[in-house]
Amino acid sequence: MLQQSGRTLASQPITLLPVSASVTAPEEAVAGSVIEVEWEGPDNPKDYITIVEAGAPEGSYTDYTRTSRGSPLTLTAPDALGNFEIRYVLQQSGRTLATQPIRLTPATAQLMVNAPIVPSGEFQVEWTGPDNPKDYITIVEAGAPEGSYTDYVRTSRGSPITLEAPQEPGDYEVRYVIQQSGRTLASLPVSVGAGEVSLALEGTPEAGGVVTVNWQGPGRYEDFIQIVAADAPEDADAIREARASQGSPLQLFAPASPGPYELRYKASDSGEVLARLPFSVE
């Protein structure tokens, strides 16, 4: 074509032939999961494979992957249930060149928290679930709207994951949330608060002797039973300390000098002293 006049300067006939394609994927998949798709087709520029509701109009798409990525490729299924289709789509016209039905089934998840949850402290959550891309576990106020979150960790980190508790005691929920839709797949009610924490001594400690402590509390690895100087500040270094995870009763070496001291149960991750007991070393 001559641009100046629009005149055809040369011409040759060409016949366009039909093109075919195929897609192969599982007949069922879990809602929101990653699906592997094998395909054959022309691989024209920007052609793509997508997943849509069964019977959706031509040119419809949700998650898609260009055929230039090769075969097999992956798609993320919608967080929905029922009958869908995987389609090979020609980018140029939006025409579906091949299709395969697929049914999306419900996903399930479970959550477990063993230890008491101390305000501002860290706690572990064991979980099972689909582990879809960017799914996460969070802790929110009881009854918070869908999609709410505070501290969260992606499920891609594995199980267990570690969360930081809110500062305020009260009733909360640990949730497994599907990132794609913000839907809560599983919820576990929890209470944030140290519960009952107490300290008691056996006998009267002597200088250079042994202090035997009976205690009650969360008993986490992050927690310490400490001996500090009387009236020491909250962040004072301990004269003696042992991890609460050693169990009750536990023993500490008594200070070398007689005088007034204080026994403390301290949550080291938050720095909070959960219980204290003044005592004297003779």
Side-chain angles (χ1 to χ4, degrees):
M1 300 295 294
L2 294 177
Q3 170 66 30
Q4 185 185 78
S5 63
R7 183 167 61 92
T8 299
L9 193 61
S11 176
Q12 175 187 313
I14 184 171
T15 301
L16 299 184
L17 302 175
V19 65
S20 62
S22 66
V23 289
T24 304
E27 295 181 356
E28 286 190 346
V30 175
S33 65
V34 175
I35 304 166
E36 186 174 89
V37 182
E38 296 181 357
W39 63 271
E40 294 182 355
D43 191 20
N44 300 318
K46 297 186 179 180
D47 284 359
Y48 60 91
I49 311 290
T50 189
I51 181 170
V52 296
E53 290 187 49
E58 287 279 79
S60 301
Y61 63 91
T62 58
D63 186 54
Y64 68 89
T65 301
R66 301 288 185 193
T67 57
S68 57
R69 294 288 185 90
S71 177
L73 51 74
T74 58
L75 294 174
T76 300
D79 182 32
L81 302 177
N83 296 318
F84 286 75
E85 298 175 19
I86 293 177
R87 294 178 176 177
Y88 184 115
V89 181
L90 296 174
Q91 168 69 24
Q92 184 187 91
S93 62
R95 181 165 65 93
T96 298
L97 197 57
T99 182
Q100 178 192 304
I102 185 170
R103 183 170 181 79
L104 300 184
T105 59
T108 60
Q110 291 184 324
L111 301 165
M112 184 169 64
V113 176
N114 288 324
I117 302 177
V118 177
S120 299
E122 293 183 342
F123 66 100
Q124 286 192 330
V125 181
E126 296 182 19
W127 63 271
T128 59
D131 191 19
N132 301 319
K134 297 186 178 180
D135 284 0
Y136 61 91
I137 294 172
T138 188
I139 181 169
V140 297
E141 291 185 13
E146 286 276 81
S148 302
Y149 63 92
T150 57
D151 188 46
Y152 70 90
V153 175
R154 302 287 185 194
T155 58
S156 57
R157 295 286 186 89
S159 176
I161 58 95
T162 300
L163 290 176
E164 183 176 335
Q167 294 181 356
E168 297 298 323
D171 294 327
Y172 292 84
E173 297 176 32
V174 175
R175 293 178 176 177
Y176 184 115
V177 181
I178 294 178
Q179 166 70 22
Q180 184 188 116
S181 62
R183 181 168 66 92
T184 299
L185 188 59
S187 178
L188 178 68
V190 295
S191 294
V192 174
E196 183 177 351
V197 183
S198 62
L199 298 164
L201 291 178
E202 292 185 6
T204 302
E206 296 183 357
V210 172
V211 178
T212 301
V213 184
N214 289 286
W215 60 268
Q216 182 175 337
R220 305 172 308 156
Y221 181 77
E222 297 85 359
D223 299 343
F224 285 96
I225 309 296
Q226 298 180 328
I227 296 175
V228 300
D231 300 323
E234 294 275 301
D235 58 354
D237 292 335
I239 299 171
R240 304 278 189 269
E241 68 179 8
R243 292 194 181 273
S245 57
Q246 293 186 16
S248 176
L250 59 75
Q251 291 185 321
L252 299 167
F253 289 114
S257 301
Y261 294 91
E262 187 173 87
L263 191 66
R264 292 178 176 177
Y265 187 113
K266 186 174 184 178
S268 64
D269 53 359
S270 64
E272 184 179 4
V273 176
L274 304 180
R276 60 185 77 223
L277 177 67
F279 72 102
S280 296
V281 172
E282 296 183 349

